[in-house]
Amino acid sequence: MVMNNVLGIIYIANDNNTMHPLTNHRCQSSIPFGSRYRMIDFVLSSMVNSNIQNVSIFTTLKNRSLIDHLGDGNDWDLDRKQDGLFIFPSDSSENSRDITSFYSAMDYLDKSSQEYVLLCYDSLITNIDFRPLYKQHLKSGADVTIMYKDKERNNHLFRNLEIDDFHNIKNLQTKDSKFGSLDIMMLKKQKFIELITNNRHIYRNFNDILREQVNNPLNIKGFRYDGYVNKINTTKQYYDSNMSLLNPKVMKQLFKENNEIHTKLKDEPPAKFTSNSNVKNSLIANGCIIDGEVINSILFRGVHVKKGASIKNSIVMQKCIIGEFAQLDNMVLDKEVILLPYDKFQGSEQSPKVIPKKSAVGTYVN
Amino acid sequence: MTRKEMVAMLLAGGEGSRLGNLTKWIAKPAIPFGGKYRIIDFTLSNCNNSGIDTVGVLTQYQPLILNSYLGVGTPWDLNRKRGGLKILPPYVQKTGGRWYKGTANAIFENIPFVDQYDPEFVLIISGDHIYKMDYTEMLESHKTSNADVTISVVEVPWEEVSRFGIMNTDENFHITEFEEKPTNPKSNLASMGVYIFNWKLLKRYLIENQQNSTSYDFGKDIIPAMLSDNRSLVAYPFEGYWKDVGTIESLWQANLDLLDDNVELDLNDRYWRIRSADPNMSPQYIGSSAKVTQSMVNEGCVVMGEIDHSILFYDAHVGEGSYIKDSIIMPYSKIGKDVTIHRAIVGEGVIIPDGVTIGHPKGPIELIDQNSNYKQNYRSSVN
């Protein structure tokens, strides 16, 4: 399977305000996830592991953190002389459409040697091999192939698709369906260029164009994916998706031996546990120093848990300091938060609370 | 080539014969250390943190793993357009191939490499030691004292003096005598194997040594020759953690030193990072049945048992009901269920089946390596 004939595009959707304050300073794609990753690592690594060697990322305005994370693409093996990683930062206002962004990169699309485009949006946590999708797309001769998964009828997180028995997609936005679109699609680059060129003046997103043109003139097929996929649009979904990693079965599906999730590497020493530490059912990143209790939680790099502190059912991001005898339950701490000794914070499983980045607690009002 | 003020030459050919089977497949500088590193990471990180950007690494014994680990020096920011890290193995010439016959001979053979950069000074270091040191401060001291050579020394306990090369100095730290492994020591200042030479002078001594001697060693030949010529040799006292992990016991001890409450060698120091090639493992998982105390655990580990006062390298797995105390578990090792391990080093990729007992709470340090009767994980590098 010659996947170097496929160009990967990741479009980072605009902030929909449902994840504040995690998205106060960054786009959703660069929210830390799973102890040592950022959300974008999953789709990006899936592309790289599928042998796609030309990847472009279209970003929104809050892109500083994301661009810092991606660097020159070296950690994904995308620092190439030919092809590699291309970043197209948004230069327009917040409510721009994806087609406008794609059209502004016409030179890049045109000059790239690849014949096919794999288009993904940013909010998925998954580890997909895209090669079977490409294979089916070539074989079926469809104009567009969209990846979908089986879902509960009342789950509206994924776009509802109507699909016939021959994998033909009949409708891209039905009211109710047991098939959900992953918004991952493959099509010929020439067709992609044609669609964005013809529709660049219409106030529509790429998905809207497909919805209008399905059946006529576009022949759109579905490709079913049964692996692990998690879509994140809200803080609660973010919390649940992280916590699901504490299930070893989920871990196995996401972190496969030969399809690792790549991320920006840091030179943190191994995690250090003192004689007072009590850690159960948790993911711990390097650089952590644990002198207290950590239960059912996810700790990112360089977190210090001081003596007597207790962290339960919580997500604690990079370089937070949890003061002596402080207590956390059902909380999400953004990066570099400092909890003073004896501070106590409690959210609930239904609505975990978020403490914003760099808060020194005492100034933070619960 | 661009001129460099100082070029580092890192001796990494050591066999480490006292480390037994640990160095059967890998050179001593490539031995895993501290849960995540290899021994050579400390000197390479010292170079990087000291702003030295040209490092020749002299390899010889079992270079495969070391060479592939070093690559072009990217993990230590030594992948430079001008200078950077260069691996310098012995090579074949018209007159036949030859091994490096000693530390001085290794530098002699690479005079053209050093000359490319036309440096004023050359820093000679070894990839066998664990320490954090700013070589630029030593260079400043070398320049101020106008010495021909500056040798870094560290105070060692008097009872261990006979293991080291000892420098006897006057009150101004001018070296008056060098004694290799003395039985009646006059001083406890041991040479750390870190030298700064004026390159032109060193070159002269290397060529002379090559022509007139049958032994080609810095400690045995070059330094005594300079002393007898009344050259100015100055000792540079180093304060801090420094360890030569030459034996299984000292390797075990140096690892466990990292677990002390007041650790001398702080790996969490953000201003002197020890860098290493990172294999990008998934996060470590500490299970519901696990208990981890006074230990270091790296990425990729899955711990379901009890770990006390021990170090787990990346991708080490410990099954339910197992108990590991005072031990070092090297990368990719898989410890089954209900295993008990005391005072042991479990080598890279060793698979320990359920129910096994290894070592004794008061026994000698056990080395469980690839030659023991256990299976080997295919992912490890020493198959």
Side-chain angles (χ1 to χ4, degrees):
Chain A
M1 194 57 46
V2 190
M3 286 296 276
N4 61 11
N5 202 18
V6 178
L7 182 156
I9 295 177
I10 301 173
Y11 183 81
I12 289 162
N14 273 311
D15 187 3
N16 54 13
N17 292 331
T18 54
M19 290 192 72
H20 278 245
L22 294 175
T23 49
N24 278 355
H25 304 284
R26 54 168 91 87
C27 54
Q28 189 177 318
S29 289
S30 69
I31 298 177
F33 187 91
S35 184
R36 60 186 294 273
Y37 304 94
R38 302 271 178 159
M39 281 178 59
I40 194 161
D41 293 340
F42 294 86
V43 169
L44 183 56
S45 300
S46 293
M47 286 188 172
V48 170
N49 292 336
S50 304
N51 257 333
I52 293 175
Q53 290 163 22
N54 185 358
V55 179
S56 51
I57 297 178
F58 292 80
T59 77
T60 49
L61 290 175
K62 290 178 199 162
N63 54 30
R64 187 213 43 90
S65 150
L66 181 74
I67 287 170
D68 173 51
H69 178 67
L70 295 170
D72 64 353
N74 166 47
D75 288 314
W76 294 264
D77 229 350
L78 285 173
D79 54 334
R80 305 294 181 87
K81 275 195 170 177
Q82 198 180 343
D83 295 335
L85 181 69
F86 295 83
I87 301 173
F88 297 98
S90 165
D91 51 5
S92 52
S93 67
E94 286 196 22
N95 46 9
S96 69
R97 302 161 305 132
D98 54 0
I99 289 185
T100 325
S101 304
F102 298 145
Y103 187 75
S104 69
M106 187 53 77
D107 275 358
Y108 159 77
L109 293 170
D110 221 24
K111 278 182 191 154
S112 295
S113 63
Q114 287 77 10
E115 278 181 278
Y116 291 87
V117 166
L118 173 70
L119 174 60
C120 296
Y121 292 81
D122 64 325
S123 49
L124 298 178
I125 301 298
T126 186
N127 188 348
I128 299 182
D129 183 353
F130 292 115
R131 282 170 285 203
L133 168 70
Y134 181 49
K135 205 169 165 185
Q136 187 198 299
H137 182 73
L138 289 184
K139 209 170 147 191
S140 74
D143 293 313
V144 183
T145 305
I146 296 180
M147 225 174 201
Y148 70 92
K149 67 171 223 153
D150 293 354
K151 64 171 185 71
E152 303 291 324
R153 282 191 178 272
N154 56 9
N155 176 354
H156 296 297
L157 190 52
F158 300 92
R159 206 184 298 272
N160 285 311
L161 294 179
E162 186 192 332
I163 304 175
D164 73 11
D165 295 343
F166 303 97
H167 292 303
N168 291 306
I169 296 183
K170 293 294 175 194
N171 190 335
L172 260 81
Q173 202 145 30
T174 56
K175 279 220 172 83
D176 181 29
S177 165
K178 59 186 171 111
F179 306 119
S181 168
L182 299 182
D183 288 343
I184 292 172
M185 57 199 85
M186 183 159 289
L187 67 164
K188 266 213 158 111
K189 189 178 80 183
Q190 226 35 60
K191 180 58 87 182
F192 182 65
I193 288 175
E194 183 192 309
L195 286 170
I196 58 177
T197 309
N198 294 345
N199 294 288
R200 67 184 189 276
H201 298 305
I202 307 168
Y203 199 78
R204 289 273 191 280
N205 277 318
F206 191 72
N207 250 310
D208 301 326
I209 305 301
L210 294 186
R211 195 184 69 222
E212 287 160 10
Q213 300 197 6
V214 66
N215 291 324
N216 182 25
L218 292 178
N219 168 16
I220 303 181
K221 293 237 184 224
F223 177 90
R224 189 159 112 194
Y225 180 70
D226 341 298
Y228 180 84
V229 185
N230 223 313
K231 189 169 176 177
I232 295 174
N233 269 340
T234 64
T235 304
K236 165 78 172 131
Q237 286 157 5
Y238 168 79
Y239 175 83
D240 290 345
S241 185
N242 266 287
M243 287 302 165
S244 73
L245 296 179
L246 297 177
N247 177 350
K249 278 182 198 150
V250 172
M251 274 285 272
K252 264 197 186 126
Q253 291 187 68
L254 211 45
F255 302 108
K256 304 174 191 168
E257 217 164 78
N258 295 313
N259 285 312
E260 62 197 87
I261 304 299
H262 304 272
T263 189
K264 182 180 181 179
L265 297 174
K266 299 263 183 167
D267 289 299
E268 296 278 357
K272 197 166 179 182
F273 301 76
T274 70
S275 45
N276 303 313
S277 88
N278 177 24
V279 180
K280 308 267 184 225
N281 192 36
S282 295
L283 294 180
I284 309 290
N286 278 358
C288 288
I289 299 177
I290 300 171
D291 202 12
E293 178 183 68
V294 181
I295 295 176
N296 303 331
S297 294
I298 293 177
L299 266 52
F300 287 74
R301 287 164 173 147
V303 172
H304 287 210
V305 183
K306 305 264 169 147
K307 192 174 170 181
S310 161
I311 299 174
K312 286 178 182 161
N313 310 307
S314 295
I315 298 168
V316 182
M317 294 189 198
Q318 295 93 309
K319 296 185 196 168
C320 285
I321 299 171
I322 314 300
E324 289 178 5
F325 301 98
Q327 288 181 35
L328 285 178
D329 193 3
N330 284 298
M331 295 294 296
V332 177
L333 268 59
D334 204 327
K335 286 171 69 176
E336 295 165 52
V337 169
I338 297 171
L339 287 201
L340 299 181
Y342 299 98
D343 265 332
K344 205 169 167 180
F345 290 94
Q346 179 135 23
S348 70
E349 213 185 316
Q350 298 323 311
S351 60
K353 283 183 193 153
V354 181
I355 300 184
K357 186 173 169 180
K358 286 189 178 166
S359 318
V361 173
T363 59
Y364 173 71
V365 182
N366 202 1
Chain B
M1 265 313 163
T2 321
R3 194 158 184 274
K4 302 275 181 189
E5 186 185 24
M6 182 158 79
V7 166
M9 297 296 271
L10 198 167
L11 298 158
E15 185 182 338
S17 50
R18 287 174 301 152
L19 286 161
N21 279 330
L22 265 186
T23 51
K24 190 167 180 193
W25 303 113
I26 53 179
K28 182 176 167 190
I31 288 181
F33 183 85
K36 146 160 201 171
Y37 311 95
R38 295 188 189 260
I39 294 174
I40 197 171
D41 287 332
F42 289 83
T43 28
L44 286 174
S45 300
N46 286 342
C47 285
N48 174 230
N49 289 326
S50 303
I52 296 169
D53 64 3
T54 308
V55 183
V57 182
L58 299 123
T59 61
Q60 174 145 299
Y61 175 80
Q62 285 293 353
L64 173 66
I65 289 166
L66 184 60
N67 285 355
S68 63
Y69 183 70
L70 295 173
V72 293
T74 313
W76 307 273
D77 263 350
L78 288 170
N79 51 331
R80 302 295 177 89
K81 279 203 162 168
R82 297 184 176 81
L85 182 148
K86 296 282 180 304
I87 297 174
L88 304 169
Y91 55 92
V92 176
Q93 296 172 333
K94 260 188 192 164
T95 49
R98 44 182 191 244
W99 286 110
Y100 294 145
K101 288 173 286 190
T103 49
N105 174 250
I107 307 296
F108 170 82
E109 293 281 1
N110 288 289
I111 286 173
F113 169 79
V114 181
D115 274 343
Q116 287 180 94
Y117 302 101
D118 189 21
E120 202 170 330
F121 308 103
V122 165
L123 170 73
I124 309 284
I125 44 183
S126 137
D128 290 354
H129 303 139
I130 310 286
Y131 64 113
K132 301 199 295 188
M133 178 175 177
D134 190 340
Y135 301 131
T136 30
E137 280 179 19
M138 183 175 168
L139 178 61
E140 287 313 309
S141 149
H142 178 75
K143 287 190 213 165
T144 317
S145 70
N146 256 323
D148 293 313
V149 52
T150 300
I151 303 174
S152 182
V153 293
V154 64
E155 281 187 45
V156 294
W158 281 96
E159 60 272 20
E160 288 179 36
V161 162
S162 57
R163 285 178 47 212
F164 296 95
I166 296 297
M167 300 291 169
N168 300 326
T169 67
D170 66 15
E171 65 281 6
N172 298 321
F173 285 105
H174 283 96
I175 298 168
T176 52
E177 194 182 1
F178 172 74
E179 289 183 289
E180 186 70 35
K181 302 187 174 127
T183 37
N184 297 310
K186 299 185 198 81
S187 137
N188 67 337
L189 294 177
S191 165
M192 295 163 60
V194 177
Y195 310 90
I196 291 177
F197 288 95
N198 296 343
W199 173 235
K200 282 195 184 113
L201 186 74
L202 175 63
K203 205 157 86 175
R204 220 190 301 152
Y205 275 87
L206 289 174
I207 294 168
E208 224 167 77
N209 167 255
Q210 197 64 30
Q211 288 163 347
N212 305 328
S213 179
T214 50
S215 156
Y216 314 96
D217 193 80
F218 275 99
K220 265 192 230 128
D221 307 293
I222 303 291
I223 300 303
M226 285 186 165
L227 273 174
S228 70
D229 289 354
N230 283 322
R231 295 282 173 196
S232 152
L233 284 78
V234 176
Y236 175 79
F238 170 79
E239 276 167 31
Y241 188 92
W242 178 85
K243 205 133 211 178
D244 179 2
V245 285
T247 61
I248 295 288
E249 286 71 25
S250 65
L251 177 67
W252 176 83
Q253 188 58 56
N255 268 285
L256 296 191
D257 282 349
L258 296 168
L259 304 177
D260 290 351
D261 286 338
N262 296 312
V263 64
E264 272 192 89
L265 186 80
D266 182 10
L267 297 172
N268 289 74
D269 180 359
R270 290 190 192 284
Y271 299 98
W272 204 269
R273 271 272 178 253
I274 304 303
R275 305 186 188 282
S276 60
D278 190 325
N280 186 37
M281 292 282 160
S282 51
Q284 59 168 284
Y285 176 67
I286 310 294
S288 303
S289 56
K291 188 177 178 209
V292 185
T293 44
Q294 230 200 330
S295 292
M296 274 168 62
V297 180
N298 199 359
E299 287 165 351
C301 289
V302 177
V303 182
M304 310 303 269
E306 190 175 339
I307 314 285
D308 187 30
H309 199 242
S310 294
I311 293 184
L312 264 57
F313 281 74
Y314 51 82
D315 208 24
H317 290 211
V318 178
E320 236 169 278
S322 287
Y323 177 68
I324 297 180
K325 170 120 179 126
D326 302 329
S327 294
I328 295 155
I329 312 297
M330 287 200 175
Y332 305 113
S333 297
K334 304 286 178 255
I335 315 291
K337 292 178 186 168
D338 305 314
V339 171
T340 306
I341 302 180
H342 283 282
R343 293 170 69 84
I345 297 178
V346 176
E348 204 173 325
V350 175
I351 298 173
I352 309 283
D354 296 354
V356 167
T357 298
I358 291 167
H360 186 274
K362 291 195 176 98
I365 309 307
E366 295 245 7
L367 173 63
I368 308 298
D369 58 37
Q370 299 78 39
N371 303 312
S372 314
N373 290 325
Y374 298 111
K375 283 190 183 145
Q376 188 71 17
N377 184 350
Y378 72 98
R379 294 190 78 189
S380 78
S381 53
V382 287
N383 273 320

